[in-house]
Amino acid sequence: MAPRRRTGRNAGAAATLAVLLAAQAGLPAARAEGVAAAAPGAVATTPPPAITTIPDVPKDSSGKDATRAGIDVLPPGPDSFKPVTAVPDPADAPKPASTTEPAPVLPDSAPTQPASLPGNPAPAEAAPAPAEAAAPALPPPAPGDPVAEVVAARLADPNFTLIRRLNTKQREAMQAFYALGAFKSVWLTETGWSDAAKAVIARLQAAGEDGLDPLAYPIPLLDPPHAKPADRAEADLKLSAAAVLYARDARGGRIEPSRLSRFITPKLDLPSADAVLTRLTPAGAAAGGLLQAYNPGQPGYLALKAKLASLRAQQPNRAVPMVRLPKGPALKTGMRDPRVPLIRARFGLGGATDATAYDEGVATAVASFQRQRGMKASGVLDPATVAALAGPAPDRQEADLLANMERWRWLPADLGRTHVFVNIPEYNVRVIRDGRVLDEARVIVGKPDSPTPIFSGEMTYAVVNPSWTVPPSILKSQFLPGLARDPNYAARLGYQVVKRGNGIAIRQPPGERNALGFIKFMFPNDHAVYLHDTPNRSLFSRSERALSHGCVRVDDPFRFAQVVLGPRWPTERLKTLIGKGERTVMLPEKLPVHLAYFTLEADGSGPLRSLPDLYGINARVKVALGLSTEALPPEAGHKPKVAGSRPAATPPGHPGTAPRPHRDLAQQQQAAPRPSPRRPVATATEPEEPAVVQPAPDYFGETGAIRRGWW
């Protein structure tokens, strides 16, 4: 078998290299695609004696679900609800859970096997060849250009360091970008930095305005009259690396949110190196603004940014540039050290033959700094001077501001023209269109040991009169033991036992006592959470409402439904569906839903509003960014182990017994992750009843308005 081709995992770099290879071979570029298959899991159980079989959805002559072949559509009028059979466009019909669209290949996803080029044999038939022969050949550097030759050599040298946090994928993307221009410099002119380079440098130096660390993006030193080709090449590459790293950090690349908690799963839209450089290098003086535009532009972020600027303006030494130096020995005149270039950059010293030399000029600058800070002006770089150069740690309020600004980077750049926004610590949901709040309501969110996850999704449909299927965890821990003792255990609690293949499921039918109330709003996701009604409305009067097992309960769900479903579905019409079996109502457009977590809010003019850190996420973000050294709280969703003997098992709801951790069966659906989203049309609905409602597609304006920029 031929060795596997070594490919970069970055989509942009891979595409660029493929184009170069195809151009040389005279062949069209290959394209690789891959689909990951999910293996469904099953829970092996012993069926209890009493089982009520719920009929499956009827099949048509082709074997497909009848609800897919011909959907019963409710007429638009509010006075008549007799079923009228209609044949919809297949694109509008709900898709079964078994039919999933292939996930897009993201830059950070695993590499896929490239497709074979036309005319080439399959890899299994090819003769063994060295791995280097399979890699696409890069074009040579521009002839007669010594800077291009050094650029090509440095990018091909794995030991050449650009910036530590710039990974191999982005280095390959930079190599592909420079290869398209024959490895010529992109930021330099005969006299020094280009206009685009000067604008980018100014933005990197002002990174603190957006809560980023300017020291993370070092500006390369360049002395044009004395710069050698190697100096010019390395300066060009390092400025490119700094610009790419800034753009990725501005979109949330500084920390990996899922490492803070398994309940934090946003899909970060990190730009690739070649995309950033392609955008910036030809922009001239506008390059700085384009680079800054990678930061969030939402009003909530901009309000926090303004508060940060106001807070820092009250600190007199805030404008002094700082530098964090790695650990090392004290430096005196005549010594050499790799940290010296950072010190030179801090004090603006250039033109040295040996940038690592701690000479008289560096010692004089250090002595002047020591004198300004009231220290002994010895000119020696001792530990006290290193600490002073790093500057003071941010205070608590500034650290909270920076941590909340960072979490804005977890959201997509475009929230959607119309979108649903839930701020978990605020216990609040808003429907926003064009910056205007259409509806606002109180919500109940997950408890600290069963937190509401943080991510973005797309709401596609609502279900009136929903049923609730008990998740496997509760089925195993509570219902199966109860059924073993009493075959009528589930029936006495108002549940049905459903036979599914070789196993069983426990289902709570629609009704006033149903855990989901009368309506739920679905945005399929890996956490199996959604927004829904609740029969226990008294809980909304509490000020602290972290009470659920992960889902978000809405205070006035029918008013909320009227806003998201459109004017064709007023509250009165929706309520007429109650008691008529499950009804699936499709949204006119996919509606972005953002479950966010912000503990500070600002409106730009008033004071900051602080909210509780329910799940300790704000504290974890501060530690991850190096803004705090406080001890971390326990991770949300991890229950502490209690010492002592385990009490004997007692039936749920037994008189005189204390409530068990999973006493509230009505909420457990959120606690059990599902391998795949449920299909929109419930299988337990009556075949003769109208099941799916297809509303007018023009409620949210032109087609595609919501999805623009959405991932």
Side-chain angles (χ1 to χ4, degrees):
M1 181 181 293
R4 179 175 294 180
R5 175 185 301 177
R6 182 179 183 271
T7 59
R9 292 170 62 186
N10 180 274
T16 305
L17 293 174
V19 171
L20 292 171
L21 177 61
Q24 292 183 350
L27 297 173
R31 183 173 180 175
E33 297 181 356
V35 179
V43 179
T45 59
T46 303
I51 296 178
T52 302
T53 302
I54 301 300
D56 294 328
V57 175
K59 309 290 183 179
D60 60 14
S61 58
S62 63
K64 298 181 179 179
D65 291 350
T67 53
R68 302 300 184 269
I71 298 178
D72 293 328
V73 183
L74 290 181
D79 300 325
S80 176
F81 288 95
K82 296 182 180 180
V84 179
T85 303
V87 179
D89 190 334
D92 296 332
K95 298 180 180 179
S98 59
T99 303
T100 57
E101 297 181 359
V105 180
L106 299 176
D108 294 332
S109 62
T112 56
Q113 183 66 28
S116 301
L117 291 174
N120 289 351
E125 303 295 334
E132 292 79 2
L138 295 173
D145 188 342
V147 175
E149 294 176 359
V150 177
V151 169
R154 294 291 189 269
L155 288 173
D157 181 7
N159 296 321
F160 175 66
T161 302
L162 288 170
I163 292 182
R164 181 177 57 85
R165 287 200 297 116
L166 205 63
N167 57 30
T168 303
K169 294 181 297 180
Q170 302 312 316
R171 188 186 181 105
E172 290 174 354
M174 282 184 57
Q175 187 179 32
F177 168 79
Y178 273 93
L180 291 176
F183 296 99
K184 293 182 179 180
S185 63
V186 295
W187 301 110
L188 296 173
T189 64
E190 293 295 332
T191 58
W193 296 117
S194 65
D195 291 341
K198 293 175 182 176
V200 167
I201 289 172
R203 174 46 48 193
L204 296 177
Q205 292 173 335
E209 296 176 359
D210 283 282
L212 300 175
D213 185 1
L215 304 178
Y217 321 107
I219 309 301
L221 297 176
L222 182 66
D223 188 7
H226 305 92
K228 300 177 182 179
D231 299 329
R232 295 172 65 88
E234 292 185 5
D236 200 272
L237 288 173
K238 290 183 177 181
L239 182 58
S240 292
V244 169
L245 186 61
Y246 178 100
R248 291 174 64 83
D249 287 355
R251 290 304 314 141
R254 289 200 288 179
I255 56 179
E256 187 177 346
S258 60
R259 298 187 65 178
L260 301 177
S261 170
R262 60 192 174 94
F263 295 99
I264 307 176
T265 57
K267 297 178 181 178
L268 301 181
D269 185 18
L270 302 181
S272 62
D274 51 343
V276 173
L277 297 176
T278 300
R279 185 183 187 189
L280 298 182
T281 52
L290 293 176
L291 183 58
Q292 197 277 335
Y294 282 103
N295 291 284
Q298 290 87 358
Y301 172 86
L302 297 178
L304 294 178
K305 179 180 176 180
K307 292 296 182 182
L308 178 66
S310 175
L311 179 65
R312 288 178 170 176
Q314 303 171 15
Q315 303 174 5
N317 295 328
R318 194 73 218 184
V320 179
M322 302 300 174
V323 60
R324 295 191 184 94
L325 299 175
K327 293 182 180 180
L331 298 181
K332 300 179 181 179
T333 304
M335 299 177 67
R336 287 178 172 80
D337 191 273
R339 298 173 294 167
V340 177
L342 296 175
I343 304 173
R344 291 181 177 276
R346 159 64 177 83
F347 294 111
L349 304 177
T353 305
D354 184 0
T356 64
Y358 195 86
D359 54 23
E360 289 290 344
V362 177
T364 301
V366 170
S368 176
F369 173 80
Q370 291 170 332
R371 189 178 300 107
Q372 293 173 0
R373 294 304 176 92
M375 306 168 65
K376 180 181 179 181
S378 63
V380 176
L381 188 72
D382 52 22
T385 305
V386 171
L389 285 170
D395 59 24
R396 184 182 184 88
Q397 186 177 28
E398 181 177 344
D400 286 337
L401 277 167
L402 295 173
N404 278 268
M405 292 173 67
E406 184 68 20
R407 291 196 293 280
W408 275 103
R409 309 181 197 279
W410 297 354
L411 294 169
D414 185 358
L415 299 181
R417 179 186 175 190
T418 305
H419 62 271
V420 176
F421 195 92
V422 178
N423 187 18
I424 296 171
E426 191 182 8
Y427 309 115
N428 185 278
V429 60
R430 296 178 178 89
V431 183
I432 301 174
R433 183 178 187 184
D434 296 330
R436 183 170 58 90
V437 177
L438 300 180
D439 185 64
E440 185 173 0
R442 293 185 172 192
V443 297
I444 293 172
V445 300
K447 297 180 292 187
D449 60 355
S450 56
T452 297
I454 300 170
F455 70 100
S456 294
E458 287 182 324
M459 185 183 296
T460 54
Y461 64 98
V463 178
V464 184
N465 303 314
S467 61
W468 179 58
T469 300
V470 176
S473 60
I474 309 173
L475 176 67
K476 180 179 179 180
S477 64
Q478 298 187 28
F479 275 91
L480 291 184
L483 290 170
R485 295 188 302 269
D486 178 8
N488 296 318
Y489 172 77
R492 287 192 295 100
L493 294 177
Y495 291 79
Q496 297 172 332
V497 181
V498 183
K499 184 177 180 181
R500 292 182 177 175
N502 295 327
I504 64 169
I506 306 296
R507 174 182 177 271
Q508 186 184 29
E512 295 182 359
R513 298 175 58 188
N514 189 278
L516 307 181
F518 291 116
I519 190 169
K520 65 178 180 179
F521 307 89
M522 304 300 292
F523 46 104
N525 57 85
D526 293 337
H527 300 279
V529 299
Y530 37 83
L531 280 71
H532 67 85
D533 185 15
T534 177
N536 192 354
R537 299 193 173 279
S538 62
L539 298 178
F540 288 104
S541 61
R542 298 187 182 183
S543 58
E544 298 180 357
R545 297 187 294 277
L547 305 169
S548 81
H549 279 75
C551 280
V552 179
R553 308 177 195 171
V554 183
D555 186 14
D556 193 339
F558 284 99
R559 188 186 69 199
F560 178 83
Q562 179 174 321
V563 174
V564 301
L565 295 177
R568 292 176 180 264
W569 285 99
T571 299
E572 295 77 13
R573 185 184 181 189
L574 282 172
K575 288 186 176 180
T576 61
L577 299 180
I578 295 176
K580 297 183 179 181
E582 284 194 345
R583 298 294 190 276
T584 298
V585 183
M586 305 302 296
L587 268 68
E589 296 257 356
K590 290 183 177 180
L591 186 63
V593 178
H594 309 289
L595 304 185
Y597 192 96
F598 296 106
T599 58
L600 282 182
E601 287 188 339
D603 58 8
S605 57
L608 281 173
R609 179 190 176 195
S610 297
L611 300 170
D613 190 7
L614 293 178
Y615 306 150
I617 292 175
N618 191 66
R620 290 181 173 274
V621 172
K622 289 193 293 184
V623 171
L625 294 175
L627 304 172
S628 173
T629 58
E630 298 177 0
L632 288 177
E635 181 181 350
H638 285 192
K639 297 181 181 180
K641 296 182 179 180
V642 181
S645 60
R646 189 173 182 177
T650 55
H654 190 276
T657 60
R660 297 172 58 180
H662 294 292
R663 173 68 180 88
D664 187 2
L665 303 181
Q667 303 173 2
Q668 295 303 315
Q669 184 177 14
Q670 299 93 310
R674 298 178 179 176
S676 59
R678 295 176 60 191
R679 60 182 183 179
V681 181
T683 60
T685 52
E686 295 293 335
E688 65 274 9
E689 290 286 338
V692 177
V693 179
Q694 202 71 14
D698 58 348
Y699 172 56
F700 289 126
E702 64 274 19
T703 302
I706 294 178
R707 294 208 51 159
R708 183 173 60 252
W710 176 250
W711 37 259

